[in-house]
Amino acid sequence: MFTRVFKQFSIGVALSAAALSAQAVDITGAGASFPYPAYAKWAAQYHKETGSRINYQSIGSGGGQQQIIAKTVDFGASDDPMKAADLTENNLLQFPAIIGGVVPVINVNGIKPGELKISGEVLANIYLKKITKWNDDAIKALNPDVELPNASIIVVHRSDGSGTTFNWTNYLSKVSSEWKETVGEGKAVKWPVGQGGKGNEGVAAYVRQLKNSIGYVEYAYAKQNNLSWTQMQNKDGNFVQPSQDTFAAAAANADWSSAPGMGVVLTDEPGADSWPITAASFILMHKNQDKPNNGKAVLEFFDWAFKNGKEMAAELDYVPMPDSVVTQIQDAWKAEVKAADGTQIWQ
């Protein structure tokens, strides 16, 4: 089951000593479950080619931020970009590594993936406990040709501090004034209704098990778990399907230099084809490296991923970072990541 496979990885393949690079370094990371499928695939291939292992725990963005601040890992991962004050206080570098989409997923008999249409307002009202039945008039109005059951909606949300939740609640705050005023946005919020699952893995497992449920996960988890995702109405009023193309459309006009640490939020972007809950996932690491070899190994892995991992990311419906953005990222590596003696780690 996906929840077992995508819980934690320590990628290792038996290779002869001669095949291993003399420079191979094992590094540790922890955080967001949103990018986990891509990071796992990258890490397996990277180990095969270099001998270096990437040991990453999918514990949620909140945990990733906490662990990098505590220096218990070589890098953290978060889908909720850290604010400028927090980056400065902890002397952290932040950069985007991959783009994907958060999708509503449902378990309703007879409804196929991508068949149900839903709007941001309807989503907010489901999570506000104002819409409680699948055959509510608001859902029926969007889906006149879909047979909807007279069944109570079971709401599923994240139980841990989550960047996926940040992007979900950030979007709901943009499309629903009531949500913004009563619940708001964040990695963790006081949910009006529902039960919590840990990680994208846990939410996917709950929705798969519970009839008439709805939840939210990164798109790869929906596909891996054979869950039915919904169409969504975007800011331009069009109903769109989740895909690499619609995620890329939402990210197309992003100004990565406009936010501290390139921490751009991509929800509710304009554009005829834009997926409304598109998100970037970010890497966090210390600017001053107590273990410069480990810091360099982190940068070498993501350099390799940016160059060689695009096709692997696309196979999982993520959007790789554009080359122009990678250049910005690597300029920041050169300028800001240093060993204790002040020397550059990335040349």
PDB file of all heavy atoms in Angstrom, residues 303-318:
ATOM      1  N   ASP A 303      21.407  19.847  -7.338  1.00  0.00           N
ATOM      2  CA  ASP A 303      21.956  20.196  -8.647  1.00  0.00           C
ATOM      3  C   ASP A 303      21.726  19.050  -9.627  1.00  0.00           C
ATOM      4  O   ASP A 303      21.289  19.258 -10.770  1.00  0.00           O
ATOM      5  CB  ASP A 303      23.443  20.498  -8.515  1.00  0.00           C
ATOM      6  CG  ASP A 303      24.115  20.771  -9.851  1.00  0.00           C
ATOM      7  OD1 ASP A 303      23.712  21.744 -10.524  1.00  0.00           O
ATOM      8  OD2 ASP A 303      25.027  20.022 -10.231  1.00  0.00           O
ATOM      9  N   TRP A 304      22.004  17.839  -9.184  1.00  0.00           N
ATOM     10  CA  TRP A 304      21.762  16.654 -10.017  1.00  0.00           C
ATOM     11  C   TRP A 304      20.276  16.539 -10.358  1.00  0.00           C
ATOM     12  O   TRP A 304      19.908  16.255 -11.510  1.00  0.00           O
ATOM     13  CB  TRP A 304      22.245  15.403  -9.277  1.00  0.00           C
ATOM     14  CG  TRP A 304      21.965  14.127 -10.010  1.00  0.00           C
ATOM     15  CD1 TRP A 304      22.791  13.465 -10.871  1.00  0.00           C
ATOM     16  CD2 TRP A 304      20.749  13.363  -9.952  1.00  0.00           C
ATOM     17  NE1 TRP A 304      22.173  12.345 -11.355  1.00  0.00           N
ATOM     18  CE2 TRP A 304      20.918  12.253 -10.808  1.00  0.00           C
ATOM     19  CE3 TRP A 304      19.547  13.507  -9.264  1.00  0.00           C
ATOM     20  CZ2 TRP A 304      19.924  11.289 -10.993  1.00  0.00           C
ATOM     21  CZ3 TRP A 304      18.545  12.556  -9.440  1.00  0.00           C
ATOM     22  CH2 TRP A 304      18.739  11.463 -10.289  1.00  0.00           C
ATOM     23  N   ALA A 305      19.410  16.747  -9.362  1.00  0.00           N
ATOM     24  CA  ALA A 305      17.971  16.619  -9.585  1.00  0.00           C
ATOM     25  C   ALA A 305      17.463  17.655 -10.584  1.00  0.00           C
ATOM     26  O   ALA A 305      16.641  17.344 -11.456  1.00  0.00           O
ATOM     27  CB  ALA A 305      17.221  16.748  -8.256  1.00  0.00           C
ATOM     28  N   PHE A 306      17.945  18.889 -10.457  1.00  0.00           N
ATOM     29  CA  PHE A 306      17.515  19.927 -11.397  1.00  0.00           C
ATOM     30  C   PHE A 306      17.932  19.585 -12.828  1.00  0.00           C
ATOM     31  O   PHE A 306      17.214  19.884 -13.783  1.00  0.00           O
ATOM     32  CB  PHE A 306      18.107  21.281 -10.999  1.00  0.00           C
ATOM     33  CG  PHE A 306      17.514  21.880  -9.749  1.00  0.00           C
ATOM     34  CD1 PHE A 306      18.302  22.641  -8.894  1.00  0.00           C
ATOM     35  CD2 PHE A 306      16.182  21.691  -9.411  1.00  0.00           C
ATOM     36  CE1 PHE A 306      17.766  23.206  -7.737  1.00  0.00           C
ATOM     37  CE2 PHE A 306      15.635  22.240  -8.268  1.00  0.00           C
ATOM     38  CZ  PHE A 306      16.431  23.002  -7.421  1.00  0.00           C
ATOM     39  N   LYS A 307      19.107  18.953 -12.977  1.00  0.00           N
ATOM     40  CA  LYS A 307      19.616  18.626 -14.314  1.00  0.00           C
ATOM     41  C   LYS A 307      19.056  17.324 -14.861  1.00  0.00           C
ATOM     42  O   LYS A 307      18.788  17.204 -16.061  1.00  0.00           O
ATOM     43  CB  LYS A 307      21.149  18.536 -14.271  1.00  0.00           C
ATOM     44  CG  LYS A 307      21.847  19.852 -14.039  1.00  0.00           C
ATOM     45  CD  LYS A 307      23.356  19.642 -13.886  1.00  0.00           C
ATOM     46  CE  LYS A 307      24.078  20.966 -13.658  1.00  0.00           C
ATOM     47  NZ  LYS A 307      25.523  20.754 -13.358  1.00  0.00           N
ATOM     48  N   ASN A 308      18.888  16.331 -13.984  1.00  0.00           N
ATOM     49  CA  ASN A 308      18.586  14.970 -14.446  1.00  0.00           C
ATOM     50  C   ASN A 308      17.223  14.436 -14.005  1.00  0.00           C
ATOM     51  O   ASN A 308      16.827  13.364 -14.456  1.00  0.00           O
ATOM     52  CB  ASN A 308      19.669  14.001 -13.933  1.00  0.00           C
ATOM     53  CG  ASN A 308      21.052  14.397 -14.374  1.00  0.00           C
ATOM     54  OD1 ASN A 308      21.395  14.273 -15.534  1.00  0.00           O
ATOM     55  ND2 ASN A 308      21.858  14.899 -13.444  1.00  0.00           N
ATOM     56  N   GLY A 309      16.540  15.181 -13.124  1.00  0.00           N
ATOM     57  CA  GLY A 309      15.307  14.648 -12.558  1.00  0.00           C
ATOM     58  C   GLY A 309      14.029  15.172 -13.174  1.00  0.00           C
ATOM     59  O   GLY A 309      12.937  14.867 -12.688  1.00  0.00           O
ATOM     60  N   LYS A 310      14.130  15.963 -14.237  1.00  0.00           N
ATOM     61  CA  LYS A 310      12.929  16.585 -14.804  1.00  0.00           C
ATOM     62  C   LYS A 310      11.935  15.551 -15.316  1.00  0.00           C
ATOM     63  O   LYS A 310      10.727  15.643 -15.057  1.00  0.00           O
ATOM     64  CB  LYS A 310      13.314  17.553 -15.921  1.00  0.00           C
ATOM     65  CG  LYS A 310      14.073  18.775 -15.449  1.00  0.00           C
ATOM     66  CD  LYS A 310      14.378  19.721 -16.598  1.00  0.00           C
ATOM     67  CE  LYS A 310      15.123  20.963 -16.103  1.00  0.00           C
ATOM     68  NZ  LYS A 310      15.402  21.912 -17.192  1.00  0.00           N
ATOM     69  N   GLU A 311      12.443  14.576 -16.057  1.00  0.00           N
ATOM     70  CA  GLU A 311      11.547  13.569 -16.628  1.00  0.00           C
ATOM     71  C   GLU A 311      10.905  12.726 -15.529  1.00  0.00           C
ATOM     72  O   GLU A 311       9.714  12.411 -15.588  1.00  0.00           O
ATOM     73  CB  GLU A 311      12.311  12.676 -17.601  1.00  0.00           C
ATOM     74  CG  GLU A 311      11.417  11.702 -18.354  1.00  0.00           C
ATOM     75  CD  GLU A 311      12.175  10.934 -19.428  1.00  0.00           C
ATOM     76  OE1 GLU A 311      13.178  11.465 -19.955  1.00  0.00           O
ATOM     77  OE2 GLU A 311      11.754   9.801 -19.726  1.00  0.00           O
ATOM     78  N   MET A 312      11.686  12.378 -14.504  1.00  0.00           N
ATOM     79  CA  MET A 312      11.138  11.601 -13.393  1.00  0.00           C
ATOM     80  C   MET A 312      10.048  12.381 -12.673  1.00  0.00           C
ATOM     81  O   MET A 312       9.012  11.825 -12.293  1.00  0.00           O
ATOM     82  CB  MET A 312      12.248  11.223 -12.415  1.00  0.00           C
ATOM     83  CG  MET A 312      13.170  10.134 -12.915  1.00  0.00           C
ATOM     84  SD  MET A 312      14.491   9.745 -11.719  1.00  0.00           S
ATOM     85  CE  MET A 312      15.727  10.946 -12.199  1.00  0.00           C
ATOM     86  N   ALA A 313      10.268  13.685 -12.469  1.00  0.00           N
ATOM     87  CA  ALA A 313       9.252  14.516 -11.829  1.00  0.00           C
ATOM     88  C   ALA A 313       7.990  14.589 -12.684  1.00  0.00           C
ATOM     89  O   ALA A 313       6.867  14.467 -12.181  1.00  0.00           O
ATOM     90  CB  ALA A 313       9.804  15.920 -11.581  1.00  0.00           C
ATOM     91  N   ALA A 314       8.178  14.759 -13.987  1.00  0.00           N
ATOM     92  CA  ALA A 314       7.029  14.869 -14.886  1.00  0.00           C
ATOM     93  C   ALA A 314       6.212  13.587 -14.929  1.00  0.00           C
ATOM     94  O   ALA A 314       4.981  13.624 -15.063  1.00  0.00           O
ATOM     95  CB  ALA A 314       7.508  15.243 -16.285  1.00  0.00           C
ATOM     96  N   GLU A 315       6.880  12.448 -14.798  1.00  0.00           N
ATOM     97  CA  GLU A 315       6.162  11.169 -14.793  1.00  0.00           C
ATOM     98  C   GLU A 315       5.197  11.079 -13.617  1.00  0.00           C
ATOM     99  O   GLU A 315       4.207  10.343 -13.675  1.00  0.00           O
ATOM    100  CB  GLU A 315       7.164  10.008 -14.740  1.00  0.00           C
ATOM    101  CG  GLU A 315       7.908   9.787 -16.050  1.00  0.00           C
ATOM    102  CD  GLU A 315       9.049   8.792 -15.922  1.00  0.00           C
ATOM    103  OE1 GLU A 315       9.301   8.324 -14.776  1.00  0.00           O
ATOM    104  OE2 GLU A 315       9.679   8.488 -16.938  1.00  0.00           O
ATOM    105  N   LEU A 316       5.488  11.828 -12.545  1.00  0.00           N
ATOM    106  CA  LEU A 316       4.616  11.863 -11.369  1.00  0.00           C
ATOM    107  C   LEU A 316       3.719  13.104 -11.362  1.00  0.00           C
ATOM    108  O   LEU A 316       3.074  13.405 -10.363  1.00  0.00           O
ATOM    109  CB  LEU A 316       5.464  11.833 -10.096  1.00  0.00           C
ATOM    110  CG  LEU A 316       6.233  10.527  -9.847  1.00  0.00           C
ATOM    111  CD1 LEU A 316       7.283  10.727  -8.760  1.00  0.00           C
ATOM    112  CD2 LEU A 316       5.280   9.409  -9.478  1.00  0.00           C
ATOM    113  N   ASP A 317       3.695  13.829 -12.484  1.00  0.00           N
ATOM    114  CA  ASP A 317       2.850  15.021 -12.672  1.00  0.00           C
ATOM    115  C   ASP A 317       3.267  16.206 -11.813  1.00  0.00           C
ATOM    116  O   ASP A 317       2.456  17.073 -11.506  1.00  0.00           O
ATOM    117  CB  ASP A 317       1.362  14.685 -12.453  1.00  0.00           C
ATOM    118  CG  ASP A 317       0.843  13.717 -13.505  1.00  0.00           C
ATOM    119  OD1 ASP A 317       0.640  14.147 -14.645  1.00  0.00           O
ATOM    120  OD2 ASP A 317       0.675  12.526 -13.175  1.00  0.00           O
ATOM    121  N   TYR A 318       4.536  16.248 -11.441  1.00  0.00           N
ATOM    122  CA  TYR A 318       5.101  17.458 -10.858  1.00  0.00           C
ATOM    123  C   TYR A 318       5.648  18.333 -11.982  1.00  0.00           C
ATOM    124  O   TYR A 318       5.865  17.868 -13.106  1.00  0.00           O
ATOM    125  CB  TYR A 318       6.239  17.134  -9.894  1.00  0.00           C
ATOM    126  CG  TYR A 318       5.829  16.437  -8.627  1.00  0.00           C
ATOM    127  CD1 TYR A 318       5.829  15.043  -8.545  1.00  0.00           C
ATOM    128  CD2 TYR A 318       5.463  17.161  -7.488  1.00  0.00           C
ATOM    129  CE1 TYR A 318       5.473  14.396  -7.369  1.00  0.00           C
ATOM    130  CE2 TYR A 318       5.113  16.515  -6.310  1.00  0.00           C
ATOM    131  CZ  TYR A 318       5.121  15.137  -6.259  1.00  0.00           C
ATOM    132  OH  TYR A 318       4.769  14.492  -5.100  1.00  0.00           O
TER     133      TYR A 318
END
